[in-house]
Amino acid sequence: MLRISKMTDYAVVLATHLAVSDTPRTVRDLAGESGIPQPTASKVLKLLAKSGVVTSFRGARGGYSLSGRPANIPVLDVVCAIEGPVAVTECSSEEASGSCEYEGSCEVQANWQKINVAIQAALHRITLADMVRAEPSAELVVLSRSRQDALERQQIAVPTARTQEATDNDDHRADQRISG
């Protein structure tokens, strides 16, 4: 199962809280609003600042704010700030060269790299502004090779469901003839 870490999830939550604010926010305020423990929020915000996603300000009106507009900060930047480069397998990592004994003879390596690129592209298309205003039922990203590929997949899935329904109805009619 592909899963981001709890720290990365916290980073996205904190970044979305910053996305709706026009002024720097303190760690205490962000932790209180988000429910993330203050030491954890502090650690996450320091990592986000180190990567340039957020900017820290000292002083009486200090705190953290996003380094840019929420619409210009992709979720990929937040994920990479905490996790490092996105790689679904070792061979799809940028530092992977020579790390796998099957490199060069692996038949699926290129496909894993395609999947990795698709995931990176999806995370790059979704911005913090999208995360703030996204509706639970709205699709943010559809992963497919092309629009045509997605349409073909939908057409294949629909007849399959109808075929199953027809088979169930035929079975029901046969049961009625036997018992009637």
Side-chain angles (χ1 to χ4, degrees), residues 62-155:
Y64 290 91
S65 65
L66 292 178
S67 295
R69 295 182 44 222
N72 295 336
I73 301 174
V75 171
L76 179 64
D77 290 357
V78 177
V79 172
C80 290
I82 307 300
E83 302 280 344
V86 172
V88 293
T89 62
E90 289 218 18
C91 65
S92 60
S93 169
E94 293 172 3
E95 303 91 34
S97 184
S99 66
C100 178
E101 63 187 87
Y102 301 108
E103 189 173 352
S105 64
C106 181
E107 296 173 6
V108 297
Q109 180 179 5
N111 290 321
W112 278 119
Q113 289 173 346
K114 286 179 189 177
I115 292 166
N116 199 61
V117 168
I119 291 170
Q120 288 178 0
L123 291 172
H124 191 267
R125 279 192 304 272
I126 301 169
T127 66
L128 291 177
D130 295 325
M131 295 297 285
V132 169
R133 70 173 178 262
E135 298 173 15
S137 62
E139 279 189 41
L140 293 175
V141 174
V142 176
L143 292 178
S144 63
R145 292 183 185 163
S146 68
R147 183 163 180 76
Q148 182 64 33
D149 182 43
L151 292 171
E152 288 172 3
R153 289 173 190 258
Q154 288 175 347
Q155 290 172 353

Side-chain angles (χ1 to χ4, degrees), residues 12-89:
V12 173
V13 169
L14 292 169
T16 57
H17 278 269
L18 290 172
V20 296
S21 179
D22 294 333
T23 59
R25 308 294 308 284
T26 65
V27 173
R28 181 181 305 206
D29 289 344
L30 289 166
E33 290 173 11
S34 66
I36 297 170
Q38 192 169 333
T40 303
S42 179
K43 180 178 179 179
V44 167
L45 288 164
K46 285 178 185 174
L47 290 170
L48 291 174
K50 183 178 178 182
S51 71
V53 173
V54 302
T55 304
S56 64
F57 299 94
R58 295 179 182 252
R61 294 187 179 179
Y64 290 91
S65 65
L66 292 178
S67 295
R69 295 182 44 222
N72 295 336
I73 301 174
V75 171
L76 179 64
D77 290 357
V78 177
V79 172
C80 290
I82 307 300
E83 302 280 344
V86 172
V88 293
T89 62

